[in-house]
């Protein structure tokens, strides 16, 4: 089930002819709150971030993932620390990292130094490498927790359906199943409130579902304007109630012409001008607007930046709404293209 948390409004008095707030009312209030710079749980601006419920933890509590988080891919410990602290100050309550990023110490120190709210109000997502045996998987997450300085994370996923080299003895249905069952152990131990997968194609998901007693709650896949459903996995996620989550929502690793940029390219900039926002905000809004649609299975975006202005801008994607025609135009784009290949993993 999906829920969204929007800005608080006074209770409507229908007997006096008033009505519940419209979406336009909420957008206006969102812009007002950002402009006022009110206090928030993380210690910075008040930014009311909608969330989706991705599952239930071992204690029976809903696990809610904010729709915008701070990415840290390719950052070292120092840069990760700086960017995450800036993100908390801007109002973020969600940070994404991974064992393989080698920056979890920096992220953990940022949480210790810069997060001013309650632990339960912070969403921490991390990953362990793919292709691991049970003991290796359990040990990898113990290291995650040690480096992050945490007792648990809010979401743990296996990063790839094999090791990155796709070594034959670490790339098979049996290996994926063994690693998934290890993640279930982590979940039952309370060291991850939810568990999921990344880069998984439909046949990889089938491998997991064949043995799973706990269904994956998230599949993180490259998705952005121009990518389409590059791995043909969106319908599979919808069918099995797996939240489809975008990585590289601004196509950071893409090779493309400048006119196709999702930050300042022709398509997104043209739409952005109509709303008084930036091209990158349009690109991010394209995804989160899908997540906000009733019955959607689309999840969060995790743009990354170490620029305080860009960090704040990336979070300000709830103060405007794209028209149906604009959404269709963005969905029809074929550039910048995504990088296929994950489905070749045996």
């Amino acid at each position: 089930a999906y829920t969204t948390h929007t800005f608080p409004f006074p209770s409507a008095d229908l007997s006096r002819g008033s009505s519940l707030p419209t979406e336009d009312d909420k957008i206006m209030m969102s812009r007002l709150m950002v402009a006022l710079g009110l206090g928030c749980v993380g210690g910075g601006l008040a930014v009311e971030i909608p969330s989706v419920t991705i599952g239930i933890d071992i204690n029976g509590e809903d696990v809610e993932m904010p729709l915008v988080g701070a990415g840290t891919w390719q950052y070292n410990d120092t840069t990760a620390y700086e960017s995450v602290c800036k993100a908390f100050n801007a109002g973020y309550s969600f940070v994404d990292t991974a064992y393989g990023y080698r920056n979890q110490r920096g992220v953990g120190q940022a949480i210790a130094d810069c997060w001013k709210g309650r632990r339960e109000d912070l969403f921490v997502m991390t990953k362990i490498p793919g292709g691991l045996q049970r003991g290796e998987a359990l040990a990898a997450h113990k290291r995650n927790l040690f480096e992050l300085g945490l007792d648990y994370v809010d979401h743990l996923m296996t990063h790839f359906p094999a090791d990155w080299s796709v070594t034959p003895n670490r790339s098979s249905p049996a290996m994926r199943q063994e690693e998934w069952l290890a993640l279930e152990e982590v979940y039952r131990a309370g060291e991850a409130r939810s568990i999921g997968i990344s880069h998984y194609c439909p046949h990889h998901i089938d491998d997991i579902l064949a043995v799973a007693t706990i269904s994956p709650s998230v599949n993180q896949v490259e998705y952005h304007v121009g990518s389409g459903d590059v791995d043909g996995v969106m319908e599979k996620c919808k069918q099995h109630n797996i939240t489809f989550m975008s990585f590289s929502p601004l196509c950071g690793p893409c090779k493309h012409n400048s006119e196709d940029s999702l930050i300042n390219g022709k398509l997104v900039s043209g739409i952005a001008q109509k709303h008084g926002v930036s091209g990158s905000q349009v690109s991010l809004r394209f995804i989160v607007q899908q997540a906000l649609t009733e019955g959607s299975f689309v999840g969060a975006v995790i743009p990354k930046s170490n620029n305080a202005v860009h960090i704040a801008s990336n979070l300000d994607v709830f103060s405007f709404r794209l028209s149906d025609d604009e959404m269709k135009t963005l969905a029809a784009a074929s550039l910048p293209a995504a990088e296929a290949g994950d489905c070749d993993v045996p």
Side-chain angles (χ1 to χ4, degrees):
Y2 287 76
T3 59
T4 59
H5 301 281
T6 52
F7 299 95
F9 288 84
S11 300
D13 182 359
L14 300 181
S15 66
R16 297 185 178 180
S18 61
S19 62
L20 293 172
T22 66
E23 189 64 23
D24 287 337
D25 292 333
K26 296 176 183 178
I27 287 173
M28 182 173 65
M29 180 61 77
S30 172
R31 286 182 165 168
L32 177 60
M33 292 181 75
V34 171
L36 290 175
L38 304 175
C40 76
V41 294
L45 293 177
V47 181
E48 209 47 52
I49 307 171
S51 65
V52 292
T53 304
I54 61 172
I56 299 174
D57 68 16
I58 194 64
N59 298 312
E61 300 290 333
D62 286 345
V63 180
E64 296 192 10
M65 178 172 64
L67 283 181
V68 179
T72 62
W73 179 51
Q74 295 181 322
Y75 285 165
N76 60 23
D77 281 322
T78 300
T79 306
Y81 175 85
E82 293 173 354
S83 68
V84 172
C85 282
K86 291 172 186 175
F88 289 158
N89 190 56
Y92 286 68
S93 58
F94 172 13
V95 59
D96 173 79
T97 183
Y99 181 103
Y101 294 174
R102 300 181 180 180
N103 63 18
Q104 291 189 125
R105 291 179 185 272
V107 171
Q109 195 61 51
I111 293 171
D113 292 349
C114 303
W115 178 253
K116 305 304 180 185
R118 302 179 303 171
R119 171 62 185 91
E120 55 265 37
D121 293 326
L122 174 65
F123 192 97
V124 180
M125 172 180 283
T126 191
K127 312 165 192 74
I128 58 173
L132 299 183
Q133 297 174 343
R134 172 185 175 273
E136 295 171 325
L138 296 177
H141 188 52
K142 289 292 186 183
R143 180 172 173 179
N144 285 346
L145 295 177
F146 173 76
E147 292 183 344
L148 290 166
L150 299 175
D151 296 325
Y152 69 91
V153 296
D154 299 275
H155 187 77
L156 172 68
M157 57 179 63
T158 179
H159 209 155
F160 196 68
D163 66 336
W164 292 115
S165 300
V166 195
T167 308
N169 66 348
R170 292 188 177 272
S171 176
S172 69
M175 283 300 301
R176 285 188 281 278
Q177 291 169 348
E178 180 174 350
E179 184 164 15
W180 180 256
L181 293 176
L183 261 65
E184 290 193 1
E185 290 186 52
V186 171
Y187 170 85
R188 291 192 178 93
E191 294 179 343
R193 297 186 63 224
S194 58
I195 51 178
I197 50 185
S198 182
H199 291 267
Y200 270 50
C201 289
H203 67 281
H204 302 137
I205 295 174
D206 284 335
D207 294 337
I208 297 300
L209 295 178
V211 299
T213 63
I214 302 166
S215 180
S217 57
V218 172
N219 186 19
Q220 194 182 82
V221 178
E222 182 179 355
Y223 181 61
H224 48 76
V225 173
S227 72
D229 185 7
V230 63
D231 292 318
V233 74
M234 295 183 77
E235 185 59 34
K236 186 73 171 181
C237 290
K238 182 178 182 180
Q239 178 184 352
H240 293 283
N241 198 30
I242 299 170
T243 299
F244 177 86
M245 179 181 174
S246 162
F247 70 73
S248 298
L250 298 178
C251 205
C254 294
K255 297 179 180 178
H256 55 73
N257 296 324
S258 59
E259 67 180 18
D260 300 318
S261 167
L262 297 186
I263 296 174
N264 53 18
K266 183 177 179 180
L267 174 61
V268 296
S269 294
I271 293 174
Q273 188 174 13
K274 300 175 184 178
H275 296 276
V277 297
S278 68
S280 58
Q281 286 173 293
V282 167
S283 299
L284 297 173
R285 176 70 194 188
F286 168 70
I287 300 173
V288 300
Q289 189 159 313
Q290 293 176 63
L292 291 168
T293 302
E294 185 72 26
S296 174
F297 62 100
V298 176
V301 292
I302 43 171
K304 69 167 189 173
S305 178
N306 193 28
N307 179 297
V309 174
H310 295 165
I311 288 170
S313 174
N314 289 341
L315 190 60
D316 182 19
V317 293
F318 305 106
S319 61
F320 68 100
R321 183 176 64 250
L322 300 172
S323 71
D324 290 346
D325 286 343
E326 289 168 339
M327 288 292 289
K328 290 176 182 177
T329 298
L330 293 166
S334 58
L335 295 172
E339 183 178 347
D342 292 347
C343 295
D344 296 335
V345 175

